[in-house]
Amino acid sequence: MTAGRVNWEDYFMNIAKEVASRSTCNRKHVGAVIVRNKTILATGYNGSISGLGHCDEDGHDMVNGHCVRTIHAEANAIVQSARNGVGIDESEIYVTASPCYDCFKLIANAGIKKVFFGEFYRDERINKFAKSAKIELIDLSK
């Protein structure tokens, strides 16, 4: 590695952090970047349904301590790739916070093989199912 030049993992996580700055739920800003062969395929951040009010403007829709108004960053990145006809099978995803169980299921069924995350966030179930689904979880906070 050239002095001063970031490695690929840091590069894509830095981009995920920038994507998170677009989040519209001030409870937690999360960004995701889907990558294959060092090429960005899609990005996503947590935000409301397109065309509807944002948490930051209209308030939160809370259920069991979680805001359910937002679509999570990982789901938005997967949806963006689908809407644009971009295949993401055999790709990697960089997420600023580890996926919830529902997003992990989407990641698995989308064919994403590696999940890089910047912090572990809440849901231990992903560790159990990642092994079974042959998905590598990589904690970049260490």
Side-chain angles (χ1 to χ4, degrees):
M1 182 171 80
T2 305
R5 187 172 185 200
V6 300
N7 63 39
W8 287 107
E9 291 174 355
D10 290 340
Y11 173 75
F12 290 121
M13 187 56 71
N14 288 341
I15 293 170
K17 290 174 185 173
E18 189 65 28
V19 171
S21 72
R22 294 278 308 151
S23 294
T24 62
C25 182
N26 56 14
R27 289 181 51 81
K28 186 149 187 79
H29 290 204
V30 179
V33 178
I34 300 175
V35 174
R36 187 175 47 239
N37 298 326
K38 298 181 179 128
T39 300
I40 296 172
L41 303 175
T43 64
Y45 54 86
N46 56 325
S48 297
I49 296 170
S50 295
L52 299 184
H54 302 296
C55 298
D56 293 354
E57 299 161 355
D58 292 351
H60 301 283
D61 184 2
M62 301 299 292
V63 175
N64 296 324
H66 299 280
C67 180
V68 296
R69 180 183 288 264
T70 61
I71 300 164
H72 291 183
E74 307 92 308
N76 271 326
I78 291 167
V79 167
Q80 183 186 84
S81 65
R83 287 186 70 165
N84 291 306
V86 176
I88 57 173
D89 195 37
E90 301 292 324
S91 64
E92 305 170 343
I93 190 167
Y94 290 78
V95 191
T96 56
S98 61
C100 70
Y101 185 52
D102 286 335
C103 286
F104 177 79
K105 292 185 286 185
L106 292 174
I107 288 166
N109 278 8
I112 296 171
K113 296 300 179 189
K114 287 185 181 179
V115 178
F116 296 86
F117 58 90
E119 68 172 285
F120 187 79
Y121 186 69
R122 297 186 191 225
D123 207 327
E124 293 285 343
R125 292 177 290 181
I126 67 170
N127 293 315
K128 173 185 173 186
F129 290 106
K131 291 175 186 167
S132 301
K134 296 183 174 81
I135 296 172
E136 193 175 350
L137 297 176
I138 301 151
D139 184 348
L140 296 179
S141 69
K142 297 178 180 178

